[in-house]
Amino acid sequence: MSRESIVSTGIARIPGVVGADLKVPLVDGRWTTPAGLDHAASAPCLTAVQEGVNRLLPWYSSVHRGSGFTSQVSTRVYEQARASVRDFVGAGPETSVLFTRNTTDALNLLARALPPRTTVFRFSADHHAALLPWRDAEVRRLAVPAGPDEAARLLDAALADAPEGPRLVVITSVSNVTGEVWPVAELVEVARRHGARTVLDAAQLVPHRPLDATALGVDWVVLSGHKLYAPFGAGALVGASDWLADAEPYLAGGGASARVAEEAGRETVTWSKLPHRHEAGSPNVVGAHAMALACDTLTAAGWDAIVAHEQALAGRLREGLAALPGVRLLGMWGPDHPRIGVVSFTLADRAGGVVDQELIATALAAEHGIGIRHGAFCAHQAVRHLAGGADGAARALRASVGLGTTAEHVERFLAALEGLLNDGPRWAYKRSDDGWVPVPDPRPEPDFLR
């Protein structure tokens, strides 16, 4: 790891990110460093990950069954990545690690592997990746709980009333809307008491907190590289092998098939064993390696430093937002509940009217170089529950911090938002098919887009 891979924040030394010195144009002709306040959507690439990928690329080749030396190196890199991801989430040595495109892909893979007559239990506050893949199963939909204790009670009652047969409980680790940490251990204990399996959506947790899947007793963990400072198109499903080994391949094709023959005018197939059974096609060796590098880098840095950095920024962010008139912070379970650095909020003007939140987000980017998220964050039911509004109309703003965020980013955001709320945008904007856009928009695009 190079010297540039570690930066000092004044609190602790944490892993550095690519693009920390990047300059982006503003509509008034100035240039500034972009404020990193959208980590909950995608995190920047760790410097150590970029360096590790660059070292791999000259050796990049086909994975599995290649006799060339570079193919053997790439195969070893790919298989070693499984061990890094397994260790990172605290899974046991007997568990399977299947590489996917992202968390959504991993949950859809598991959904395809459910035994017949499986009943699935999930909460309405979940991200769509955890909410929607189970459409072919019997789904028990649990309401947004009023508190962690109620979450356990709702699940307990639903499991007690469920039919016999396989059961799967979908558990969110951290709300991508509010940053609140779900009572994972308590929900797993309830599920186990009823003989149910569990899958943990850890996409929002693992970039910010350590995870010990074995201690928690979860059966599967899913995560995404692009939220884990490894934006190279990889995710993972980690956990028990039995349901996966018994299921038809998620995708049919090369790698998933051990033997193909023709008998009586049709193909007969012997499918591969795990993990290759569900990894058809040429695998994303670069993405898997990048994800493993991110796991190793965060572990080596130490979680105390990472948590201290993020909690200081998140505390200032919440404090500053709460002091602005018209800002309403969103939360399910009260201000003292444990959170990561994700803050969602709505805006109202002095007369109590609704502020155009998309316009505010556009102006923050165009005039101040600040990137936040607006909308419903692929969690429509959660945002509607928290922010109000008719179906399809509930919207909020979200700022989220991580390793690419600095104290200056937070202060710039708070000052810019206050200015917009008091005086409105300084530039002209118009509606387009893509939302609000500056008029004119003189910002030059980078050369590689031309």
Side-chain angles (χ1 to χ4, degrees):
M1 190 180 298
S2 75
R3 186 174 302 169
E4 290 73 24
S5 299
I6 300 291
V7 297
S8 175
T9 66
I11 300 172
R13 295 176 66 80
I14 61 170
V17 300
V18 176
D21 298 324
L22 181 70
K23 299 290 185 180
V24 296
L26 305 180
V27 287
D28 62 6
R30 295 179 297 130
W31 291 72
T32 187
T33 55
L37 291 169
D38 199 15
H39 282 66
S42 284
C45 183
L46 289 176
T47 307
V49 169
Q50 180 192 47
E51 293 169 350
V53 166
N54 287 341
R55 286 194 296 270
L56 169 65
L57 288 179
W59 298 88
Y60 169 74
S61 186
S62 61
V63 175
H64 303 134
R65 298 174 300 282
S67 60
F69 190 76
T70 56
S71 179
Q72 294 176 29
V73 169
S74 292
T75 298
R76 184 173 177 185
V77 164
Y78 186 69
E79 293 304 325
Q80 284 179 337
R82 297 190 203 275
S84 289
V85 173
R86 182 185 289 112
D87 291 345
F88 182 71
V89 302
E94 75 289 349
T95 56
S96 292
V97 177
L98 307 183
F99 285 116
T100 63
R101 291 176 296 174
N102 44 46
T103 298
T104 302
D105 195 32
L107 285 166
N108 275 272
L109 191 166
L110 183 60
R112 288 279 296 274
L114 297 182
R117 298 180 298 280
T118 298
T119 304
V120 175
F121 304 79
R122 81 327 178 253
F123 287 90
S124 295
D126 291 345
H127 187 280
H128 293 170
L131 201 74
L132 299 179
W134 323 102
R135 300 172 75 83
D136 293 334
E138 174 68 29
V139 177
R140 297 297 175 94
R141 297 165 177 83
L142 307 181
V144 179
D149 291 342
E150 185 179 0
R153 288 195 298 270
L154 287 172
L155 179 60
D156 189 43
L159 284 165
D161 189 48
E164 293 296 323
R167 304 169 179 188
L168 178 69
V169 178
V170 183
I171 301 175
T172 292
S173 58
V174 172
S175 169
N176 76 307
V177 178
T178 67
E180 289 165 299
V181 179
W182 277 71
V184 176
E186 292 81 356
L187 294 174
V188 171
E189 193 278 328
V190 170
R192 291 172 68 88
R193 192 167 67 243
H194 288 275
R197 297 285 190 94
T198 53
V199 57
L200 179 66
D201 176 357
Q204 293 290 347
L205 175 71
V206 292
H208 310 285
R209 299 287 190 279
L211 172 63
D212 190 336
T214 300
L216 287 171
V218 297
D219 294 281
W220 293 280
V221 173
V222 292
L223 61 158
S224 287
H226 74 97
K227 296 187 189 298
L228 194 60
Y229 306 97
F232 290 86
L237 169 63
V238 185
S241 300
D242 51 352
W243 287 7
L244 301 170
D246 292 340
E248 288 283 303
Y250 179 49
L251 298 173
S257 51
R259 178 182 179 275
V260 179
E262 183 175 323
E263 297 177 8
R266 62 187 299 271
E267 285 79 23
T268 60
V269 184
T270 301
W271 298 115
S272 301
K273 297 183 183 301
L274 293 178
H276 312 299
R277 186 184 189 89
H278 295 294
E279 292 181 349
S282 295
N284 181 5
V285 59
V286 174
H289 182 53
M291 194 171 175
L293 288 166
C295 293
D296 294 343
T297 301
L298 294 176
T299 300
W303 287 105
D304 288 346
I306 294 170
V307 172
H309 168 72
E310 294 181 355
Q311 288 297 98
L313 295 174
R316 172 59 185 140
L317 181 61
R318 292 190 185 93
E319 174 191 55
L321 283 170
L324 296 179
V327 171
R328 181 168 73 90
L329 302 181
L330 302 184
M332 295 182 292
W333 301 329
D336 296 328
H337 188 81
R339 286 171 164 82
I340 63 164
V342 175
V343 185
S344 292
F345 57 98
T346 58
L347 300 172
D349 60 25
R350 288 188 176 90
V354 176
V355 174
D356 191 317
Q357 294 169 148
E358 182 183 352
L359 177 58
I360 293 292
T362 301
L364 284 169
E367 300 176 25
H368 303 279
I370 299 166
I372 64 170
R373 182 77 29 169
H374 66 85
F377 323 130
C378 295
H380 294 180
Q381 295 184 88
V383 172
R384 184 163 56 249
H385 173 81
L386 295 168
D391 285 356
R395 295 290 185 270
L397 295 169
R398 183 183 71 189
S400 51
V401 305
L403 298 182
T405 312
T406 69
E408 188 277 328
H409 294 165
V410 173
E411 297 303 332
R412 192 199 320 172
F413 165 64
L414 293 172
L417 180 59
E418 183 176 20
L420 287 167
L421 292 175
N422 288 335
D423 305 319
R426 298 188 304 235
W427 203 259
Y429 298 87
K430 72 174 183 179
R431 272 284 187 183
S432 74
D433 292 341
D434 297 323
W436 289 103
V437 294
V439 181
D441 189 351
R443 295 172 294 176
E445 294 179 334
D447 291 342
F448 63 79
L449 289 179
R450 298 174 183 170

